[in-house]
Amino acid sequence: MQRSERSDNHHNNHSDSDSDVRPARAADIPVNDLRSALARLATVPGQLLETDREVDPHAELAGVYKRIGAGGTVQRPTRLGPAMIFNTIKGYPESRVLVGLMASRERVARLLDTTPTALTQRMGDAVRHAIAPVTVERDRAPCQEVVYRATDADFDLRKLIPAPTNTESDAGPFLCLGLVLGSDTETGHADVTIHRLCVQGRDELSIFFAPGRHIDAFRQKAEARGEALPVSINMGLDPAIHIGACFEAPTTPLGFDELSIAGGLRGKPVELVDCVSIGQKSIARAEIVIEGEILPNVRVVEDQNTGTGHAMPEFPGYNGPANPSLPVIKVKAVTMRRGAIMQTLVGPGEEHTSLAGIPTEASIYNAVEAAMPGFLRQVYAHTAGGGKLLAVLQVNKRSAYDDGRARQAAIIALGVYSELKHIILVDTDVDPFDTDDVMWAMTTRYQGDTSTMFLPKINGHVLDPSQTPAFNPALPARGVTCKTVFDCTAPFHMREEFERAQFKEVDPRPFAPHLFPEEDDHV
């Protein structure tokens, strides 16, 4: 395959980047791209695993990581584990694949310079102090060190990028962490979103849009004029970019550039660069960028090459159905860093909870804090809902009036994040991140007939198979649901009856020092 390479040599390549850096403390390494994120993780025992054993990207790679670190709503056995780099990919001798970078709340906290319980507030602060991206010259953009053009006779996405299939029934290879960057060609407003992208041919991808996505609105406007929509697909990124991109309206309304949230997280702007083949920007420090155009009035069957009827495993833990009519991206070029790392995820795993859930938490926290300062202590977008469908809200009741405010907080949360289905309310003595503690509160502070709020026939999420008229004939369409609030807080006037047994506070370390090793200062 023909390729062009820049002659500049001031960017790190595969041999001198992430693997060889081993400083003493993770916090000493600033993160501005994927490689510096990996360098930081490499200093923390148990957070990053590399293997040279050959792996097949078709089903095997995801099957391995399902057992090592996927977690989430993946069928058991699975577990939380390290991020993993596969250095030897069958059929792709020059490629490496990373999976699970964000498949742990602890790992995300280390990468975003905070602690697991403070991630919500850190993300909320980044929204309030967003910094807009900037454009740099091409000689400052590592993502364009190597360029492949679709006009080359031997260009073939299927041979160039080791896009994995998660299961043997997938519609095809998927780019599972491809961040699509598109712009409204009339207003110039930009948006970034992660979408389901299936490799359909040598220079074609299909793209699935869930209802209400902003880039789809840009596409529809362009299509109405008979025009293609130029987009870049950015892979292998600073995790601040991926997580910041997963905020949704109304927190980030149409016209809000989510890249500015990553800027707020890092305290400096994300760097963009002009694409080499289309009138669009790409993320300058990405590992791999696909440049292309969403064609007007062209549709394709998602599983046209396999006929399985399935797309890929989605965040609720089920196979998403193959879509019979999806827009097509015509690829114009692929640009890469030297020694590029392909980044992917296991669809229903804990990584989705981090990507979708932490922005969900921040959106809810900011909205409730604005309405009721100091009332909401913590939010956890639970992994059982893939970070989207289930949230636990910890509230601080100080009067009988607050019994009603707890439920009001739940209503605000449902308004802020439309895809939420269930909310569990707990008191400040319950750890919202500990499912056993939450279930204890539900068992001892909840009565189904008096502690439940039902809000029927509200828009939810199309990928939840229970949100269909076939499951509940009262529902008018797929993606409409009954939303439920489980009030597992103690009534304020009975608070003394619900006081937990109080044990003496004792330092256990002298009795069992091996169980309490000193924590690494990662902040």
Side-chain angles (χ1 to χ4, degrees):
M1 183 178 298
Q2 295 293 317
R3 71 178 186 177
S4 61
E5 294 199 36
R6 286 217 313 262
S7 59
D8 57 297
N9 58 11
H10 64 282
H11 297 292
N12 287 340
N13 60 23
H14 166 83
S15 63
D16 63 5
S17 57
D18 51 283
S19 298
D20 300 329
V21 182
R22 296 292 189 274
R25 295 173 68 253
D28 291 336
I29 302 175
V31 176
N32 63 0
D33 59 8
L34 178 62
R35 298 187 185 198
S36 54
L38 292 173
R40 177 178 286 194
L41 284 187
T43 69
V44 185
Q47 291 295 341
L48 182 61
L49 172 66
E50 290 194 45
T51 178
D52 293 328
R53 185 180 178 90
E54 184 181 76
V55 68
D56 192 334
H58 179 76
E60 186 178 34
L61 187 151
V64 170
Y65 197 66
K66 180 245 186 187
R67 297 295 298 268
I68 288 176
T73 58
V74 171
Q75 185 175 3
R76 276 49 184 166
T78 188
R79 62 181 177 181
L80 294 183
M84 196 167 181
I85 298 175
F86 294 87
N87 290 322
T88 309
I89 310 300
K90 182 178 180 181
Y92 300 86
E94 297 184 5
S95 296
R96 295 189 293 167
V97 175
L98 166 69
V99 62
L101 179 68
M102 296 164 284
S104 153
R105 194 176 183 94
E106 177 188 352
R107 197 150 57 241
V108 172
R110 289 183 180 276
L111 293 170
L112 297 185
D113 303 299
T114 188
T115 63
T117 56
L119 269 169
T120 302
Q121 293 77 9
R122 172 115 170 89
M123 292 299 301
D125 186 68
V127 175
R128 294 191 299 270
H129 297 91
I131 299 174
V134 297
T135 301
V136 300
E137 297 297 325
R138 286 185 173 141
D139 62 359
R140 292 179 54 196
C143 74
Q144 294 179 357
E145 289 175 344
V146 183
V147 177
Y148 301 89
R149 296 185 182 273
T151 52
D152 297 333
D154 58 351
F155 179 91
D156 194 331
L157 279 175
R158 297 165 296 189
K159 299 176 181 178
L160 183 59
I161 299 175
T165 56
N166 276 269
T167 75
E168 293 178 309
S169 63
D170 282 10
F174 279 90
L175 308 177
C176 296
L177 273 176
L179 186 69
V180 181
L181 191 161
S183 306
D184 186 324
T185 54
E186 291 181 347
T187 67
H189 291 155
D191 190 81
V192 286
T193 324
I194 299 172
H195 294 284
R196 198 165 80 200
L197 300 160
C198 186
V199 180
Q200 297 291 351
R202 66 174 293 274
D203 63 351
E204 288 188 350
L205 302 163
S206 60
I207 181 168
F208 171 80
F209 291 106
R213 295 298 185 256
H214 293 167
I215 292 179
D216 193 31
F218 302 160
R219 178 198 65 80
Q220 292 176 36
K221 288 176 67 174
E223 186 171 74
R225 300 190 302 269
E227 299 174 359
L229 182 74
V231 296
S232 66
I233 301 166
N234 303 267
M235 295 176 284
L237 305 171
D238 174 355
I241 296 176
H242 269 138
I243 294 177
C246 290
F247 280 86
E248 297 184 8
T251 301
T252 54
L254 189 65
F256 187 104
D257 189 342
E258 289 88 351
L259 289 176
S260 64
I261 299 174
L265 283 167
R266 296 300 183 205
K268 58 183 179 181
V270 173
E271 294 181 345
L272 304 176
V273 65
D274 291 328
C275 291
V276 302
S277 66
I278 58 173
Q280 188 50 270
K281 309 282 188 185
S282 64
I283 296 171
R285 300 191 67 83
E287 291 288 320
I288 302 170
V289 176
I290 298 176
E291 302 178 359
E293 296 176 334
I294 305 180
L295 300 178
N297 304 307
V298 177
R299 302 291 186 270
V300 66
V301 177
E302 192 168 21
D303 64 337
Q304 64 175 342
N305 295 314
T306 61
T308 64
H310 299 300
M312 60 174 288
E314 286 285 3
F315 74 91
Y318 302 98
N319 281 324
N323 196 291
S325 180
L326 290 181
V328 172
I329 300 174
K330 195 72 169 178
V331 175
K332 301 297 183 181
V334 173
T335 73
M336 298 184 181
R337 297 183 72 155
R338 298 188 187 97
I341 303 169
M342 171 70 188
Q343 186 180 3
T344 189
L345 57 70
V346 172
E350 188 73 16
E351 194 152 16
H352 190 281
T353 300
S354 296
L355 284 163
I358 297 169
T360 299
E361 295 166 9
S363 297
I364 292 170
Y365 183 85
N366 280 0
V368 177
E369 177 66 14
M372 310 174 189
F375 183 65
L376 181 63
R377 290 290 184 85
Q378 282 285 6
V379 188
Y380 174 41
H382 201 288
T383 193
K388 285 180 174 282
L389 303 181
L390 171 62
V392 184
L393 275 60
Q394 183 194 61
V395 297
N396 181 30
K397 290 185 180 181
R398 289 165 289 196
S399 70
Y401 184 74
D402 287 343
D403 285 343
R405 293 216 305 167
R407 299 187 179 201
Q408 182 66 34
I411 292 172
I412 292 173
L414 291 172
V416 166
Y417 196 76
S418 64
E419 294 172 346
L420 269 179
K421 179 182 181 183
H422 293 153
I423 291 179
I424 301 175
L425 296 167
V426 298
D427 293 300
T428 54
D429 63 342
V430 176
D431 183 352
F433 302 101
D434 185 332
T435 298
D436 286 347
D437 217 24
V438 173
M439 292 297 98
W440 170 83
M442 178 171 280
T443 303
T444 64
R445 299 180 179 180
Y446 168 85
Q447 285 289 310
D449 59 342
T450 61
S451 306
T452 314
M453 293 171 58
F454 297 109
L455 294 87
K457 298 182 181 178
I458 300 178
N459 285 358
H461 201 292
V462 294
L463 292 177
D464 175 358
S466 75
Q467 297 184 28
T468 64
F471 190 96
N472 179 1
L475 299 177
R478 187 180 188 93
V480 178
T481 191
C482 176
K483 303 204 172 188
T484 310
V485 177
F486 302 88
D487 188 349
C488 302
T489 61
F492 187 80
H493 73 282
M494 298 180 65
R495 61 192 180 280
E496 293 181 358
E497 295 185 41
F498 288 91
E499 183 177 351
R500 301 182 80 158
Q502 298 297 302
F503 291 82
K504 182 178 180 179
E505 287 295 332
V506 179
D507 183 355
R509 288 173 294 182
F511 301 90
H514 65 288
L515 296 180
F516 300 91
E518 290 187 13
E519 295 185 3
D520 178 30
D521 180 14
H522 65 274
V523 179

